Amino acid sequence: SPPHTPAPPPLPTHTRLHQVCDTTGAGDAFIGAAAHGIRCGLPLGDVMRLASYVAAANCTADGARGGLPSYADLPAELKALLP
């Protein structure tokens, strides 16, 4: 059987991500962030953490790009993953 890889620690809960406003563009935000993470050479688990955060953040404002976070908006835990 394959060796067990422990799951990465969960990201802290971010209050602003609890305010879902509009889910338009969430899938596109997820795919874009995932592609960026893959291009940066992140392990798959970190790619999913980044993409999930970006997609969730995008849902906090109206429109397809309303809540899309910039690099400066990312939590320190995610910034530390990126080169």
Side-chain angles (χ1 to χ4, degrees):
S1 90
H4 174 71
T5 304
L11 288 173
T13 302
H14 298 279
T15 304
R16 81 177 198 97
L17 296 185
H18 292 281
Q19 306 300 319
V20 175
C21 181
D22 183 358
T23 61
T24 304
D28 293 331
F30 182 91
I31 294 298
H36 180 71
I38 291 167
R39 176 68 178 96
C40 288
L42 298 181
L44 184 58
D46 291 340
V47 168
M48 295 297 104
R49 292 174 75 200
L50 174 64
S52 296
Y53 179 86
V54 170
N58 193 52
C59 294
T60 62
D62 287 327
R65 293 176 45 202
L68 199 61
S70 67
Y71 177 81
D73 297 329
L74 294 176
E77 295 86 354
L78 290 177
K79 285 181 186 176
L81 299 175
L82 298 170

